[in-house]
Amino acid sequence: TDVETAEARGVCAVIAATADSGYDSLGALMEAAAAAADAGGRPPHPLIVYGQSQIVRFRGAGAAALELLTGYLGSADPWTRAAAGLQSADILHDLGRIEEASRYCDTALTVFRDIEESWGVVMALTFRAALDKLAGDYRGAIAALEQAAAASRYLADASDLAWFYRQLAGLRVRTGDYAGAHTVLDLADRGVWAQGDLGAYLRLIRAEHAWREGDATEATRLCEEILRDGA
């Protein structure tokens, strides 16, 4: 039907746009998909909701994006409800409203867990870790990232897992868990080939690791290597 066609075009456009954050070009497709859903007497597809809010947000109107998402926070569809909450949390974080962001994130995480939505659980846990890190709660961030990495093993490729391990290594260095940092750095090294310049970040973490363990020579060598490579 025309409704399904408009919706399918909108969903495909959102999926394509997420690769390069090219949301500015989505406006007409999102409007057509939302209008078609409304004419058909049903709510828009969750990804259409996501696309609509991203368009507004990337135009610099965070408050307007929050207002748009508010209409979906009570959606009967749990995925839409949780995704709208997590998007709201991300926008609130950008606006400096950290306590509100934390509440929205935790609520979204609970819903995603209740419906056993692995992708949503991973995204919410990753955001939870970022909030904990911002608050200086490195152990809380480690716990959240470890859960996210475990939940993403069936979803992620080597580069995604390497990103998790890199984050965990940096946090473990900050908590003084050098043995734990060594372990996850080794795991990250195994996937470094899959993600471009991740190796430079790994070397930087290793440099901080060496410095904190008192090996200034190795820390200096790694930093000079990074600078020499222009990374």
Side-chain angles (χ1 to χ4, degrees):
T1 67
D2 290 342
V3 173
E4 292 169 334
T5 299
E7 185 174 81
R9 285 174 176 164
V11 168
C12 289
V14 172
I15 293 171
T18 55
D20 59 4
S21 298
Y23 297 103
D24 282 341
S25 62
L26 297 184
L29 288 169
M30 294 301 99
E31 290 175 10
D38 186 59
R42 67 183 193 187
H45 188 283
L47 284 182
I48 300 302
V49 177
Y50 175 82
Q52 287 179 304
S53 65
Q54 290 296 85
I55 290 170
V56 176
R57 182 181 180 187
F58 276 86
R59 287 173 180 164
L66 275 178
E67 184 176 351
L68 187 155
L69 288 166
T70 297
Y72 297 102
L73 292 174
S75 172
D77 174 51
W79 197 98
T80 299
R81 188 166 68 248
L86 190 57
Q87 279 184 270
S88 297
D90 196 18
I91 295 169
L92 286 164
H93 169 271
D94 288 348
L95 294 174
R97 295 158 61 179
I98 306 303
E99 289 187 10
E100 291 176 83
S102 183
R103 290 197 298 272
Y104 275 78
C105 176
D106 290 343
T107 299
L109 176 58
T110 297
V111 176
F112 279 134
R113 279 177 164 158
D114 286 345
I115 63 175
E116 299 182 347
E117 167 54 66
S118 297
W119 176 87
V121 168
V122 171
M123 297 304 293
L125 282 169
T126 302
F127 190 68
R128 176 72 264 169
L131 290 171
D132 287 341
K133 182 179 179 181
L134 181 65
D137 181 6
Y138 296 137
R139 297 190 186 283
I142 287 170
L145 277 179
E146 286 181 334
Q147 292 177 56
S152 71
R153 284 197 173 93
Y154 298 105
L155 304 172
D157 58 22
S159 64
D160 293 325
L161 289 174
W163 183 89
F164 281 117
Y165 294 141
R166 176 174 69 82
Q167 297 296 316
L168 282 167
L171 289 166
R172 289 195 176 281
V173 167
R174 299 295 171 85
T175 62
D177 180 9
Y178 302 132
H182 270 303
T183 299
V184 287
L185 279 169
D186 289 342
L187 289 171
D189 277 338
R190 297 175 192 175
V192 69
W193 57 269
Q195 189 167 330
D197 63 353
L198 183 61
Y201 291 109
L202 281 173
R203 280 179 286 169
L204 188 59
I205 293 169
R206 287 190 181 280
E208 181 178 350
H209 192 177
W211 168 61
R212 288 178 180 271
E213 286 191 310
D215 189 351
T217 300
E218 176 64 4
T220 300
R221 184 190 70 77
L222 286 165
C223 288
E224 288 177 340
E225 185 179 285
I226 295 168
L227 291 169
R228 186 173 62 249
D229 291 346

